[in-house]
Amino acid sequence: MKIPRYSFFFLSTLALFSVVALFLAFASFQNKITYQKCEELGLPILEINIEGGKKVKEKNNYLKASFNIAGVSGNCKIRGHGNSTWKALKKPYLLKLNAPESLLGMKSAEKWILMANYFDKTSLRNAYSSYIAKNIFSNQRWSPDNRFITLFINGRYEGLYQIYEKIEQHENRLDLKPDSFLMVVNTRMNKEFNFVTKGFVHISNQDNGITEAKFSDYKNYVQKAEDVLYSDNFKDSAEGWQHYMDIDSFIDWFLINEYGKNHDALFMASCYFFYDSEKDKLCMGPAWDFDIAFGADPHDDCNLPEGWYVNQFFWYKRLFEDKVFVNALKSRWEEKADDLRASIEWIKQEAEMLQEARMLDDAIWKTIGNRIWPHTPGWRQRKTYVSEVKYMTDWCQQRFDWLDAAIKQL
């Protein structure tokens, strides 16, 4: 039977063969990238070999594996990680070592996040936010450390990754007293225990293993703090919000997220806070998840360097009604503004170090110059890594200038 050349069947078949051909070419090229080639990049190489050569296909179940990085090796487990990021082509992972290890100079622990940064065409936004949290707005009890690495799974090159310390209560992570607790703002409500405050903040437990009764105690404390925040005498220095909320951590967390105009900081997801029994207060942090911040997300005008964002919603909107909070924020900004302005140079220096590794990664995943969610405006014109980095640094400079003027006018 002769198939008409431009029939639907002909075109569909041609498209199918094209997709298959591209996939085979992709897989073939990916397999040709060797350890030796990647050693030239100067980044540590993490090798993970999964039993039976299996692929990680889900987030709920671990696969047994072994690992090796910079002379440290052992057995481990691996599973998928993330929410929207898990749906991307390049996957993030959670690595659980069979025994605690110190990796690349970071403190010893079992759990580590392998961050793919697929949505961030610079691969620098998470690293930059961590740099700010550790070196500038550092009034948070702990901020996770990280390193850039090259990842191989089952002998196949997976690309440029970051290995991150996992946010958890741990003596080498967020080291809290036993009667403290860690929670996360989480509109997905997909953790073991979840609740919605009267102010419509969706909160989940972050640490596993707590009882329902204990979670109820935590929930009651958070709700009490929120009730006081929205009460008529919330400005009272002894009985108001300051009795329940740590002003220093709330300010620094705000400034990091407001500067980055981080869409998730709208109390949607990845907003961590904890009760510190030593201070007997709620503390914000650690700051987390900035891969679509710093101009990368067009939703709700987060790509525009002008305009307030985080202080328009939820707890922060109320805090901005108290001059005590506003004046303390202005003072903190004045103290750290020069350091923040100078930090934009850090992006340029890190990009120069990372450029070759990022270009090799893009030879596989092909994000630069292509339409990748969240579809940052101007992506068609930015066809090189250098142009993406310039977009980010230009945006940060404009954002700093706007925010500097806006805070001074508060």
Side-chain angles (χ1 to χ4, degrees):
M1 180 181 70
K2 186 177 181 180
I3 300 173
R5 186 172 180 180
Y6 297 107
S7 68
F8 175 78
F9 180 79
F10 174 85
L11 294 174
S12 299
T13 304
L14 181 62
L16 177 61
F17 277 119
S18 298
V19 170
V20 171
L22 285 172
F23 175 78
L24 292 174
F26 165 83
S28 175
F29 182 60
Q30 191 172 19
N31 288 327
K32 287 179 180 178
I33 299 177
T34 63
Y35 297 130
Q36 291 73 23
K37 168 65 178 175
C38 292
E39 284 174 346
E40 298 173 5
L41 301 175
L43 296 178
I45 297 175
L46 172 59
E47 304 172 50
I48 298 175
N49 291 295
I50 302 173
E51 284 189 3
K54 294 179 180 178
K55 294 182 178 181
V56 181
K57 295 182 178 180
E58 57 180 303
K59 298 191 299 179
N60 297 324
N61 296 311
Y62 283 103
L63 297 176
K64 293 182 179 179
S66 62
F67 76 96
N68 180 63
I69 183 170
V72 179
S73 60
N75 294 320
C76 62
K77 298 175 182 177
I78 186 172
R79 65 172 176 83
H81 180 73
N83 291 301
S84 57
T85 51
W86 177 244
K87 299 173 185 177
L89 292 177
K90 184 184 177 188
K91 306 292 185 184
Y93 303 104
L94 174 60
L95 192 66
K96 184 178 181 181
L97 312 185
N98 285 14
E101 293 282 1
S102 171
L103 302 182
L104 304 176
M106 294 180 282
K107 290 185 177 180
S108 178
E110 293 180 355
K111 294 181 180 179
W112 303 84
I113 304 299
L114 302 181
M115 198 170 287
N117 292 315
Y118 181 78
F119 299 138
D120 175 11
K121 295 180 182 182
T122 69
S123 295
L124 287 168
R125 286 176 166 86
N126 277 312
Y128 182 47
S129 66
S130 293
Y131 176 84
I132 295 170
K134 282 185 168 294
N135 297 283
I136 301 174
F137 296 121
S138 55
N139 278 340
Q140 297 171 92
R141 188 177 182 114
W142 171 79
S143 295
D145 207 351
N146 70 95
R147 302 287 189 274
F148 282 106
I149 61 167
T150 298
L151 178 63
F152 279 80
I153 297 181
N154 296 334
R156 190 172 76 166
Y157 171 80
E158 296 295 329
L160 174 65
Y161 275 72
Q162 276 175 286
I163 184 166
Y164 252 96
E165 294 178 328
K166 187 178 187 297
I167 295 178
E168 58 182 342
Q169 282 187 246
H170 186 284
E171 61 182 357
N172 284 338
R173 300 283 172 80
L174 182 58
D175 188 13
L176 300 173
K177 297 294 184 182
D179 50 348
S180 303
F181 61 85
L182 173 63
M183 291 193 177
V184 61
V185 178
N186 173 34
T187 53
R188 294 180 176 87
M189 304 291 278
N190 55 0
K191 301 285 187 176
E192 184 179 9
F193 299 114
N194 312 274
F195 78 102
V196 182
T197 70
K198 296 175 185 176
F200 210 61
V201 178
H202 295 68
I203 296 174
S204 302
N205 70 297
Q206 177 60 20
D207 288 324
N208 297 322
I210 67 171
T211 64
E212 187 170 0
K214 198 67 175 175
F215 182 75
S216 180
D217 292 340
Y218 300 164
K219 179 176 69 173
N220 291 338
Y221 185 91
V222 174
Q223 188 58 67
K224 175 62 176 176
E226 186 184 76
D227 289 345
V228 170
L229 179 64
Y230 289 120
S231 68
D232 291 338
N233 67 334
F234 82 105
K235 297 179 183 179
D236 186 280
S237 59
E239 300 298 329
W241 68 268
Q242 293 180 69
H243 180 74
Y244 292 90
M245 296 176 172
D246 174 62
I247 188 170
D248 292 335
S249 66
F250 268 76
I251 285 174
D252 275 18
W253 185 93
F254 168 82
L255 287 172
I256 296 169
N257 283 277
E258 186 66 56
Y259 168 56
K261 221 171 182 185
N262 184 14
H263 193 265
D264 283 345
L266 183 60
F267 273 33
M268 297 175 65
S270 303
C271 300
Y272 291 89
F273 69 95
F274 58 92
Y275 169 72
D276 186 342
S277 61
E278 292 181 88
K279 290 186 174 183
D280 191 26
K281 291 183 180 182
L282 293 179
C283 301
M284 284 300 296
W288 182 256
D289 200 2
F290 284 73
D291 61 333
I292 56 174
F294 303 109
D297 189 350
H299 300 96
D300 298 318
D301 292 334
C302 283
N303 62 301
L304 303 180
E306 305 83 17
W308 289 105
Y309 185 64
V310 181
N311 71 344
Q312 305 298 296
F313 304 98
F314 298 106
W315 296 345
Y316 279 99
K317 184 176 182 179
R318 183 64 163 169
L319 288 170
F320 265 74
E321 295 178 17
D322 187 353
K323 272 294 182 182
V324 170
F325 183 85
V326 172
N327 289 337
L329 184 144
K330 291 174 70 174
S331 177
R332 182 63 167 164
W333 177 263
E334 183 179 355
E335 176 189 2
K336 291 294 183 178
D338 288 343
D339 292 337
L340 186 61
R341 182 192 292 110
S343 73
I344 298 173
E345 288 300 314
W346 180 91
I347 302 173
K348 299 175 184 178
Q349 294 167 8
E350 199 75 0
E352 187 174 346
M353 179 277 295
L354 209 62
Q355 182 173 351
E356 191 176 351
R358 183 62 183 86
M359 289 171 65
L360 183 62
D361 179 277
D362 200 64
I364 296 298
W365 299 109
K366 301 186 184 304
T367 61
I368 297 174
N370 291 309
R371 191 173 188 269
I372 303 297
W373 185 92
H375 320 312
T376 313
W379 61 266
R380 285 187 176 88
Q381 288 72 46
R382 296 190 297 273
K383 298 185 181 298
T384 65
Y385 181 64
V386 171
S387 64
E388 282 291 346
V389 172
K390 188 177 187 306
Y391 169 77
M392 180 182 173
T393 55
D394 287 351
W395 188 94
C396 287
Q397 184 62 62
Q398 293 171 46
R399 180 62 176 165
F400 174 88
D401 291 342
W402 184 89
L403 198 56
D404 186 52
I407 289 176
K408 290 174 179 176
Q409 292 174 8
L410 287 173

